[in-house]
């Protein structure tokens, strides 16, 4: 299963937001995601730029659920591969990986285990 390609203008806008100085970077990504709430790479970056573990956890969780919605909207039935090698899949996979890591950090080990297992099912050939 593959998510659809993302427009080059959105990729460029994320690159520009990430190019902001440290002080402004997160806010630039927040604005981009607010204007494009289905942009999964944006959610993954919000998780990576989180102010603390819970901020990251929330961004990764939203991105994960947005990704599930996008996959289902493209015909995914809840099983089957979602490969890292297809670049548009990466935002979703990064959100799922981030959710696993932040779940572990907050002590939700059952959720972390579930996310880690899901990653292995989606792309057993990639190490997250």
């Amino acid at each position: 299963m593959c998510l659809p390609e993302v427009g080059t203008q959105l990729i460029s806008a994320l690159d520009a937001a990430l190019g902001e100085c440290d002080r402004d970077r997160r806010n630039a990504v927040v604005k981009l995601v607010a204007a494009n709430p289905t942009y999964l790479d944006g959610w993954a970056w919000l998780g990576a730029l989180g102010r603390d573990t819970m901020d990251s956890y929330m961004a990764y969780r939203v991105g994960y659920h947005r990704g599930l919605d996008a996959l289902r909207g493209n015909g995914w039935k809840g099983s089957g591969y979602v490969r890292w090698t297809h670049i548009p899949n990466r935002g979703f996979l990064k959100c799922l990986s981030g959710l696993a890591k932040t779940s572990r950090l907050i002590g939700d080990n059952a959720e972390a285990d579930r996310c880690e297992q899901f990653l292995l099912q989606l792309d057993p050939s990639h190490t997250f």
Side-chain angles (χ1 to χ4, degrees):
M1 173 52 56
C2 295
L3 289 169
E5 297 289 331
V6 175
T8 56
Q9 69 278 18
L10 200 51
I11 294 168
S12 295
L14 179 60
D15 288 343
L18 294 172
E20 293 285 334
C21 67
D22 289 347
R23 170 179 53 98
D24 298 331
R25 184 173 299 125
R26 184 180 178 284
N27 284 338
V29 175
V30 165
K31 287 178 185 176
L32 176 66
V33 172
N36 302 278
T38 61
Y39 185 33
L40 301 176
D41 243 1
W43 285 107
W45 274 103
L46 274 184
L49 296 169
R51 294 171 291 217
D52 57 32
T53 301
M54 286 307 295
D55 194 48
S56 294
Y57 172 86
M58 290 184 289
Y60 288 135
R61 180 160 290 286
V62 171
Y64 163 68
H65 283 286
R66 288 281 188 164
L68 288 177
D69 291 344
L71 285 166
R72 289 182 185 122
N74 281 319
W76 188 69
K77 304 293 184 205
S79 65
Y81 296 124
V82 179
R83 300 286 189 181
W84 178 265
T85 54
H86 183 67
I87 293 171
N89 291 344
R90 291 182 183 178
F92 169 70
L93 294 169
K94 286 188 274 187
C95 285
L96 180 55
S97 178
L99 181 58
K101 290 171 185 165
T102 55
S103 292
R104 182 90 53 216
L105 288 172
I106 65 172
D108 190 352
N109 293 320
E111 175 73 351
D113 292 344
R114 185 187 69 76
C115 291
E116 290 165 358
Q117 182 62 39
F118 194 24
L119 282 166
L120 285 172
Q121 292 168 346
L122 294 173
D123 193 345
S125 65
H126 187 75
T127 304
F128 293 92

